[in-house]
Amino acid sequence: MADITRRLGWRHLRGAPTAHIRHHRGTKLLHDGPGLSFWFRALTAAISEVPVDDRELAMTFHARTSDFQDVSVQATVTYRISDPAVAAARLDFSIDPDSGAWRAAPLEQLGTLLTETAQQHALDVLSRTPLSAALVDGVTAVRERIAQGLAGEPRLPATGIEVVAVRVMALRPEPEVERALRTPAREQIQQEADRATYERRAVAVERERAIAENELASQIELARREEQLVDQRGTNARREAEEHAAADAVRAEAEAARTVRLAEAEATRSVRLARAEAEGAREVGEARAQAQAAWLRVHADADVATLHALTGTRLAENLPRIDSLTVSPDVLTGLLAKLGHQEQA
């Protein structure tokens, strides 16, 4: 929409760079071009504003396939007005000199023209295509057919319109049909998932079986090795017992031999000791006998009194020690009497 200001019966228009302005006064074209800015009188001016930028036209329409299934098509057409003079001559792009707004709805007319033309070509291609093929390749086919149809439509160049691009975003069947079509695919996906699950479980079971077999084989091998170890330990124990028995036998034989040798030595020593003792005893006996004989010979020549004195002396030597001796008169009288008789005898 153009920007128009008022000044004392005059109007000033300031256009946008993307808007083509055509200013007529009567049959004379005064201004023609994009982004113009000028003064004009409202009573004598006829002004048109034609947008020359790229515009997007979104459209949604329904079609029917060859197998009588309804589908909805969502598409977008990008277009521009390439010839503003032709477009202004074919469509009403005039603006109000006071407000700058379009007096008619030219863009709606362009949208209707493009939508009906695109829908016509889309219906044509979908009416000859089954639903399954339309869902697989329908987007590309519909886009190409709409682009070709709009490019070959003679009314568009005659109106100054150029189609820049065509896009088809979606081609969808009715919700019930879509759910019905999804069911086999979902079932197949579920079957694939179940098969993958079963295969994974089978692989897991196989791995568990292999692990169990490995564990069993390991246990069997361990048991076999334990049996060998027990046998080896028994053999070692027997060998050790035999070696200990042999060592004990050798030790016992050595101890017996040593005991025999010690006994023989002790016996020899005892015999020698006995002989030595006997020899010593004999020599002592002979010495004693000689001493006794000498003693007897010495005492044979002594008188009786001397012998009595020696006897008393020897008796006194063998008596215990006497610290004090008390002699009563009676005892002394008897001793003196005995001594007197002995002297007389």
Side-chain angles (χ1 to χ4, degrees):
M1 186 176 68
D3 184 12
I4 298 178
T5 58
R6 300 178 183 182
R7 291 292 185 274
L8 301 175
W10 289 84
R11 304 289 188 273
H12 183 270
L13 182 144
R14 184 174 60 187
T18 57
H20 189 95
I21 306 297
R22 291 176 62 85
H23 176 207
H24 289 81
R25 187 171 58 189
T27 59
K28 185 178 180 181
L29 181 62
L30 300 179
H31 298 91
D32 186 16
L36 298 180
S37 179
F38 54 88
W39 290 93
F40 65 93
R41 285 184 178 274
L43 295 178
T44 60
I47 302 174
S48 299
E49 183 184 19
V50 182
V52 293
D53 57 338
D54 291 349
R55 291 183 173 268
E56 303 285 341
L57 177 61
M59 57 185 71
T60 301
F61 53 87
H62 293 274
R64 180 168 294 182
T65 61
S66 61
D67 50 358
F68 305 102
Q69 299 296 326
D70 292 335
V71 294
S72 60
V73 181
Q74 295 179 359
T76 300
V77 176
T78 304
Y79 71 96
R80 74 167 64 99
I81 299 176
S82 59
D83 194 344
V86 175
R90 298 297 300 271
L91 299 174
D92 186 7
F93 282 95
S94 63
I95 61 174
D96 188 291
D98 292 329
S99 63
W102 280 314
R103 292 176 177 179
L107 295 182
E108 293 181 4
Q109 296 177 7
L110 288 178
T112 302
L113 174 61
L114 292 171
T115 301
E116 290 178 354
T117 304
Q119 184 175 359
Q120 176 183 355
H121 295 288
L123 293 176
D124 182 61
V125 69
L126 289 174
S127 63
R128 292 182 284 105
T129 305
L131 178 62
S132 58
L135 294 178
V136 175
D137 300 324
V139 172
T140 303
V142 171
R143 182 181 67 249
E144 293 177 354
R145 183 60 181 273
I146 291 176
Q148 293 175 1
L150 292 176
E153 179 65 31
R155 188 179 175 185
L156 297 180
T159 313
I161 299 173
E162 178 186 356
V163 176
V164 178
V166 177
R167 299 188 303 275
V168 177
M169 280 74 71
L171 196 152
R172 303 183 63 179
E174 294 294 326
E176 296 80 4
V177 178
E178 187 174 5
R179 284 193 295 269
L181 292 175
R182 287 178 179 177
T183 301
R186 289 182 177 178
E187 291 295 334
Q188 184 177 1
I189 293 173
Q190 186 63 38
Q191 291 177 4
E192 293 293 335
D194 294 340
R195 181 163 57 252
T197 301
Y198 296 150
E199 290 178 357
R200 185 170 61 253
R201 290 180 179 176
V203 171
V205 171
E206 183 65 23
R207 290 179 179 176
E208 291 179 357
R209 184 184 63 80
I211 293 173
E213 290 180 355
N214 292 335
E215 291 180 352
L216 182 60
S218 299
Q219 293 178 0
I220 294 174
E221 182 64 20
L222 289 176
R224 186 179 64 80
R225 293 186 179 183
E226 288 181 357
E227 182 179 1
Q228 294 178 355
L229 180 61
V230 171
D231 294 340
Q232 188 64 36
R233 286 180 177 176
T235 303
N236 295 339
R238 286 193 298 272
R239 290 179 179 177
E240 186 176 0
E242 291 175 357
E243 291 177 358
H244 285 312
D248 292 339
V250 172
R251 190 181 302 108
E253 291 178 358
E255 186 68 23
R258 188 174 66 85
T259 303
V260 170
R261 288 195 300 272
L262 291 176
E264 291 178 353
E266 185 67 24
T268 303
R269 188 168 55 252
S270 299
V271 171
R272 291 178 180 177
L273 181 60
R275 290 178 180 177
E277 289 179 354
E279 184 66 23
R282 185 180 61 79
E283 292 178 356
V284 170
E286 291 178 355
R288 287 180 178 178
Q290 292 178 1
Q292 188 68 26
W295 186 79
L296 291 175
R297 285 193 303 269
V298 170
H299 288 80
D301 297 333
D303 54 1
V304 177
T306 302
L307 293 175
H308 287 169
L310 292 173
T311 302
T313 301
R314 182 64 56 85
L315 180 62
E317 291 178 355
N318 294 325
L319 288 176
R321 181 179 178 182
I322 300 173
D323 295 332
S324 62
L325 179 63
T326 303
V327 180
S328 63
D330 296 332
V331 175
L332 184 59
T333 302
L335 290 174
L336 292 176
K338 289 181 181 181
L339 290 175
H341 290 296
Q342 290 179 357
E343 291 179 357
Q344 290 177 4

